[in-house]
Amino acid sequence: MKSPTLLTVSISLLAIRLFNLYTVRSWYVPDEYWQSLEIAHGITFGFGYRTWEWVVGIRSYVSVSWIVIIYNILKFFSLDTLTLLIWSPRFVQTIFSTYSDYCFVRWTQKHSKCSNIFWPCICYMSSPFLAYCSTRTLVNTMETNLTTIALYYYPWSVKNKDVKYLWIVAFVCIMRPTAFIVWFPLVMFDFFAHKRYTVFSFVRYIFMGLTAIIFSIILDSYFHGSFVVTQWNFLYYNILKKCNAHYSVEPWYWYFVSGLPPILGPIFFVFIYTLVKRLRHFNRTDTDFKLVITVLWTLLVFSMIAHKEQRFLLPLLPMIFFVTFPNISLICKQFIKLASLNVVINTIILIYLGCFHQIGSTNIMSKLATIPQNSTLLFLMPCHSTPLYSHLHLNITTRILTCEPNLHDTSNYIDEADIFYKNPKIWLEETYASKINTKWPTHIVMFDQLSNQLQTFLKKENYKKTVSMFHSNFPSARTGRYIHVYTNT
């Protein structure tokens, strides 16, 4: 059978990612909006919401600069409609992901031990978690894209002494400092394999690193309004002050039990088999061995950090799939019906997660975007449960329940969201009813579980339910199946 041309491969990859773009319309994590679109909207249009991470300066504006460029282009040509503001960054992210996928395919063609990568690539492209995140404006998605591209340019052969991959790695690390953990083993392998311990090599490393850091400092200081080194602040607040532990603390083994298995699915067992096989018969110059060591190193270091999330593992997926490709190919060749069924199941999972699970958070914003300009909004929801100005594009007064960590070492600290959910009625009384000059908001947004508790209050203040939007079949303790909007106008 004739091998497909690069053009055919590129078009196929783009078609798959465009399908992902069309399918994925649901809410995943707040960072998709609050650490990207919200910041870019504030910079471009002058109104938005900056979370504490941007106030204290632990996030680099490098990660949102491309969205700022898109928004400024739309603004310049008066094309800043809500539809384009929401979908144009996601479309560009889809293009980034497609190019990343192309680099992944080319990388496996050149360096994988797998003789036929067709089915393994199908499994990779249909991986539900990868597809679920590939079109989202998450810094983790961009980190994964750049990591995959850098893996393509990495000098896997001793004859290849090119270091262009280091430029990509440098900018990945200033954008996402934890990327240093992922890349440390591979950079060390390259350093010793190519004997880069010369004066010239050290000067080149220093030049690359300083260039990336200086660029970041200049850009971040400009947008922050004062001198700031976001990479140091990231380490200070997340590692030394352990502010990230405010959002969740998981046991050390979480990534091995609840992190990696769900996002890999059946591939997890293939990976474990491959892992044991490579460690038993290792070769330091072997590509698979280098990747296995990198994955294990990253998992072990990440396991020492209290706050853990599955999306932090995204950059490891290309490496994991690469080393498992020969075994995936063998399984798919022997059980082609099983392989086809796996792709179908993956697609069904993606459609459900993208179109039906946690869909209310984004759908409700299209309704709120049509309210009058003089309206005021109050979101009585777990903090950052919906997008905000990037999905409203209205310069109106809004309020959300905040959940900032204990930045100032306050004794017995409780964030605003926790205070509210302890006793919603008391919070409302103290925040609005007891203050003479404070007006009740015209619109209140909440999940159905909370609205059931506040029916007496809502009737007393003449609020009527005007919108009810399905959200999820699997609500958590503070969310619900539906999102309701109450209005007193």
Side-chain angles (χ1 to χ4, degrees), residues 138-157:
L138 279 167
V139 68
N140 310 94
T141 301
M142 185 59 72
E143 178 190 2
T144 304
N145 294 158
L146 294 174
T147 295
T148 308
I149 296 168
L151 288 170
Y152 171 62
Y153 288 108
Y154 183 88
W156 298 103
S157 169

Side-chain angles (χ1 to χ4, degrees), residues 17-36:
R17 290 308 178 212
L18 287 175
F19 171 74
N20 299 158
L21 175 65
Y22 176 79
T23 304
V24 177
R25 300 159 179 254
S26 58
W27 172 267
Y28 174 37
V29 289
D31 283 17
E32 180 181 358
Y33 311 101
W34 295 83
Q35 308 294 348
S36 57

Side-chain angles (χ1 to χ4, degrees), residues 179-240:
F180 175 81
I181 298 170
V182 178
W183 275 100
F184 178 76
L186 288 174
V187 171
M188 287 296 100
F189 279 128
D190 172 46
F191 182 80
F192 289 106
H194 291 92
K195 299 179 180 179
R196 301 194 192 275
Y197 30 80
T198 63
V199 174
F200 175 76
S201 295
F202 278 115
V203 171
R204 183 164 52 183
Y205 286 161
I206 293 171
F207 174 75
M208 288 180 173
L210 283 179
T211 300
I213 291 173
I214 290 172
F215 173 76
S216 174
I217 290 174
I218 293 173
L219 185 70
D220 294 335
S221 297
Y222 172 77
F223 285 113
H224 188 71
S226 61
F227 179 81
V228 62
V229 182
T230 56
Q231 293 75 28
W232 162 249
N233 287 347
F234 182 92
L235 295 173
Y236 175 73
Y237 282 99
N238 284 328
I239 304 301
L240 299 181

Side-chain angles (χ1 to χ4, degrees), residues 120-181:
C121 281
I122 292 296
C123 291
Y124 176 79
M125 293 298 293
S126 66
S127 171
F129 187 67
L130 194 61
Y132 187 61
C133 298
S134 64
T135 64
R136 296 184 182 274
T137 52
L138 279 167
V139 68
N140 310 94
T141 301
M142 185 59 72
E143 178 190 2
T144 304
N145 294 158
L146 294 174
T147 295
T148 308
I149 296 168
L151 288 170
Y152 171 62
Y153 288 108
Y154 183 88
W156 298 103
S157 169
V158 178
K159 295 180 180 180
N160 181 4
K161 296 186 178 182
D162 196 349
V163 294
K164 68 176 69 172
Y165 83 97
L166 284 173
W167 283 109
I168 303 173
V169 172
F171 279 92
V172 172
C173 289
I174 65 169
M175 182 181 70
R176 181 81 177 158
T178 51
F180 175 81
I181 298 170

Side-chain angles (χ1 to χ4, degrees), residues 13-14 17-18 21 62-70 88-104 124-125 133-150 175:
L13 295 175
L14 179 60
R17 290 308 178 212
L18 287 175
L21 175 65
V62 174
S63 64
V64 300
S65 56
W66 63 279
I67 305 176
V68 173
I69 293 172
I70 294 171
S88 56
R90 290 198 59 191
F91 176 77
V92 173
Q93 177 58 69
T94 302
I95 301 300
F96 285 154
S97 292
T98 302
Y99 179 66
S100 166
D101 296 330
Y102 172 82
C103 288
F104 177 79
Y124 176 79
M125 293 298 293
C133 298
S134 64
T135 64
R136 296 184 182 274
T137 52
L138 279 167
V139 68
N140 310 94
T141 301
M142 185 59 72
E143 178 190 2
T144 304
N145 294 158
L146 294 174
T147 295
T148 308
I149 296 168
M175 182 181 70

